[in-house]
Amino acid sequence: MRFDVVSLFPEMVLGAAAFGVTGRAIERDLVQLAVWNPRDYVYDRHKTVDDRPYGGGPGMLMKYQPLADAVAAAKIQKSTNSSKVICLTPQGRPITQSLLQTATNLEQLILIAGRYEGIDERFVTGVCDEEWSLGDFVISGGELAALVIVDGITRLLPGVLGDEASAVNDSYTDGLLDCPHYTRPEVIQGQGVPQVLLSGHHADIERWRLKQALGRTWQRRPDMLKNKVLTPEQSALLQEFKNEV
Ligand code: 9D3
């Protein structure tokens, strides 16, 4: 999979992507990442990528032409018909794990990171295929959103995570919050570790973990359980959890 990010801050994108899981995937050539600066596609004397909104009002907008030319350059370099252009905007569709999972099938994902107050609507409707958002809060530009998407998709691709971490991706705890975790030392400020985790009974440990995952999801994110069908074992464990609180 190839990611092309269109951004006025290429170093921000390349810098952050160089670490951890994404950095290793790029090194191992499991994914490719290129950044295109719209400023490199303006040819007037002042190199303006932004302009004032028609109708007035505060702030500046990103101009159509530098963005469109940057996208065209990214498309020429890959030349595939399995390519999508995604605009990162506060108005977009909120990203979910299943949206990222679906995107893993693309050969090229072109991500547009805006700055200023927004982007000329004719670029959004005429060049972009979709608009995506991180959720209902405000950040200052699209770069961090692009990085979130690059990271979230990369870790789903074959060979990127080790076997153990991959198994966690598609385990039965899918669609639930994670259970609590503990590591050494055994006592911290008088707080011990749940006895079952020290017992060595692997079936009991798995049951406890699933029960905690179900219970925490019920307590913190009841919306996640609304459309989820529980197995009889899961229903019984959740009932046990409820009886204990
Ligand atoms: C006054 C209206 N504001 C829209 C809510 C203006 C505005 C705020 C922030 C315009 C652009 C931005 C920059 N944000 C992003 O580029 C962005 C974003 C976000 O702010 N929240 C959640 N997801 C995303 S994806 C890109």
Side-chain angles (χ1 to χ4, degrees):
M1 166 125 187
R2 177 185 166 113
F3 298 102
D4 292 276
V5 179
V6 174
S7 165
L8 289 170
F9 300 122
E11 303 92 337
M12 177 178 176
V13 176
L14 292 172
F19 293 89
V21 168
T22 51
R24 219 165 308 122
I26 292 167
E27 270 173 22
R28 296 169 60 206
D29 209 30
L30 297 170
V31 300
Q32 292 75 47
L33 172 63
V35 186
W36 305 85
N37 190 339
R39 206 172 294 281
D40 295 336
Y41 298 89
V42 281
Y43 307 105
D44 69 312
R45 203 160 62 80
H46 298 100
K47 294 227 162 193
T48 47
V49 292
D50 60 327
D51 207 340
R52 292 166 307 172
Y54 281 117
M60 299 291 272
L61 299 174
M62 295 190 77
K63 290 166 69 65
Y64 175 97
Q65 176 269 317
L67 289 173
D69 287 0
V71 168
K75 282 189 173 177
I76 283 165
Q77 203 160 80
K78 175 78 182 172
S79 111
T80 168
N81 44 29
S82 172
S83 169
K84 249 188 186 162
V85 182
I86 306 294
C87 219
L88 290 331
T89 74
Q91 294 76 237
R93 173 176 176 187
I95 60 169
T96 59
Q97 191 64 22
S98 77
L99 189 63
L100 298 184
Q101 183 64 249
T102 303
T104 61
N105 298 313
L106 295 167
E107 282 182 37
Q108 183 183 36
L109 192 59
I110 302 174
L111 298 164
I112 314 301
R115 283 276 153 176
Y116 314 116
E117 283 310 295
I119 300 170
D120 190 301
E121 186 66 12
R122 291 161 295 184
F123 176 81
V124 179
T125 58
V127 178
C128 295
D129 298 300
E130 294 176 26
E131 279 180 81
W132 292 1
S133 159
L134 291 185
D136 293 339
F137 51 89
V138 180
I139 57 176
S140 309
E143 284 78 9
L144 290 172
L147 284 160
V148 164
I149 289 157
V150 168
D151 186 297
I153 292 174
T154 298
R155 61 196 303 290
L156 292 172
L157 297 174
V160 169
L161 296 185
D163 286 348
E164 211 167 309
S166 291
V168 174
N169 262 344
D170 42 36
S171 80
Y172 62 93
T173 55
D174 237 32
L176 296 177
L177 299 183
D178 205 356
C179 63
H181 302 287
Y182 301 86
T183 187
R184 292 187 295 180
E186 200 180 310
V187 179
I188 297 174
Q189 299 199 314
Q191 295 228 94
V193 173
Q195 195 55 46
V196 61
L197 299 179
L198 307 171
S199 70
H201 292 123
H202 296 296
D204 286 358
I205 291 168
E206 279 319 293
R207 225 175 357 259
W208 180 86
R209 286 179 170 160
L210 180 53
K211 178 170 155 183
Q212 296 302 313
L214 287 159
R216 278 164 34 134
T217 309
W218 169 69
Q219 285 177 321
R220 302 179 188 191
R221 293 291 305 278
D223 58 298
M224 290 172 71
L225 290 180
K226 274 275 149 63
N227 300 305
K228 189 170 167 68
V229 183
L230 300 183
T231 66
E233 191 207 10
Q234 289 175 330
S235 298
L237 286 171
L238 179 55
Q239 194 53 55
E240 269 183 44
F241 186 99
K242 290 178 179 176
N243 294 341
E244 288 165 19
V245 298

